[in-house]
Amino acid sequence: MKIAIGGKGGVGKTTVCAVWAQLFAEEGFDVLAIDADSNVNLALAFGIPSEKNPVPLISMKELIAERTGTDKDAVGSYFRLNPRVSDLPEKYWVEIGLSGHKNSAGSNRGGKLRLLVLGAITQAGSGCACPEGAFLKALLAHTILQRREVVLVDMAAGVEFMGRASVQGIDALVLVVEPGGRSIDTVNNLSRMARELGIRTVGAIANKVTEAVQVSVIENQLENIMLLSTVQYSRSVQEADLKRAPVIGVGGGLIEQLRLAKERLVSHIS
Ligand SMILES: Nc1ncnc2c1ncn2[C@@H]1O[C@H](COP(=O)(O)OP(=O)(O)OP(=O)(O)O)[C@@H](O)[C@H]1O
Ligand SMILES: [Mg+2]
């Protein structure tokens, strides 16, 4: 199963991605969580301290040059559009421990949870025709089309940076939306774009809700997107972030609502 998570800045994409990654792994799935945001911070949501934050692959200039063939003849703008990347996930992912988190059957037998930090191209128009763009597209295509794990992609912006092949390998786009017009508009735009590119399943999670009426306002404005669940605004989520503690540890309503959202999505896809 391959799921991309999007939405406006700050709505809770990384939070959802980290919690879902843990929940899938607790159920016994091997999970590859991919940080594809330019402002990489998925590691933090897993409770990895900043000094141990993996270096994003997008900033590994020598590796990108070697794989795209731009190191030897610097004569110009030629580079490989399909660089070899299949060996890279194993080399650069970090293992996230599940210790202390029992699955619903009460056992500690979980799948493997790994984090691969890609990063993203920061310049506007993320479909960059440059070696970095080709490298990122190749890595996403490899992880989405060829790997067997559950893959969760924490995205920065739209899905177009992925390239057509990866987009078509995505089973679902999950859009996180908070009570706010700009967030709702972003989600509708992303959803339209995703459907044009061929993603059939688009779901939404309403996050940071403080009053029930906000949910109906959101629901009324979502265009053809199924609302998977509603997550209340919770101070303990914010506190976990401030303490740099793993978000899965906050427990309570956030985890239960996200579990519900995940189950609804999975049953819709399968
Ligand atoms: N339900 C919630 N209640 C309270 N705070 C929340 C909730 N969900 C997320 N947050 C907080 O909101 C902030 C943004 O969340 P997060 O980083 O997950 O969003 P994001 O969409 O990935 O942001 P960015 O666009 O910067 O990558 C964090 O401080 C997070 O702890
Ligand atoms: Mg984020």
Side-chain angles (χ1 to χ4, degrees), residues 88-263:
L88 299 180
E90 279 86 350
K91 246 183 219 164
Y92 290 104
W93 68 33
V94 287
E95 305 255 359
I96 313 284
L98 285 181
S99 57
H101 301 296
K102 292 194 167 75
N103 65 22
S104 46
S107 104
N108 273 326
R109 258 177 308 159
K112 301 265 186 226
L113 170 52
R114 280 115 175 194
L115 166 68
L116 186 63
V117 179
L118 294 189
I121 295 165
T122 42
Q123 72 205 51
S126 36
C128 165
C130 55
E132 288 83 359
F135 179 79
L136 274 189
K137 275 188 184 153
L139 252 169
L140 281 163
H142 169 70
T143 48
I144 288 169
L145 300 172
Q146 274 154 41
R147 297 206 61 104
R148 302 180 68 88
E149 296 101 328
V150 169
V151 175
L152 300 170
V153 188
D154 182 2
M155 300 195 310
V159 283
E160 67 280 18
F161 75 98
M162 284 187 168
R164 191 160 281 273
S166 310
V167 168
Q168 286 170 353
I170 289 283
D171 296 297
L173 172 66
V174 172
L175 298 169
V176 185
V177 59
E178 64 185 9
R182 286 184 292 273
S183 169
I184 297 170
D185 290 351
T186 302
V187 159
N188 282 330
N189 287 337
L190 287 174
S191 163
R192 250 176 264 135
M193 209 187 297
R195 287 188 201 281
E196 276 164 24
L197 289 165
I199 298 181
R200 278 184 312 180
T201 302
V202 181
I205 295 173
N207 189 25
K208 304 195 191 184
V209 168
T210 51
E211 288 167 51
V213 65
Q214 295 171 337
V215 183
S216 35
V217 173
I218 291 177
E219 223 168 355
N220 286 338
Q221 292 183 43
L222 288 182
E223 297 167 2
N224 204 8
I225 307 171
M226 63 176 156
L227 187 61
L228 297 166
S229 78
T230 299
V231 180
Q232 302 294 317
Y233 182 89
S234 140
R235 280 186 61 185
S236 42
V237 175
Q238 234 192 1
E239 278 160 19
D241 187 7
L242 196 58
K243 286 189 202 144
R244 297 163 188 277
V247 64
I248 190 85
V250 302
L254 173 93
I255 308 298
E256 287 324 307
Q257 285 303 313
L258 290 181
R259 194 191 299 280
L260 179 70
K262 172 181 148 297
E263 281 162 12

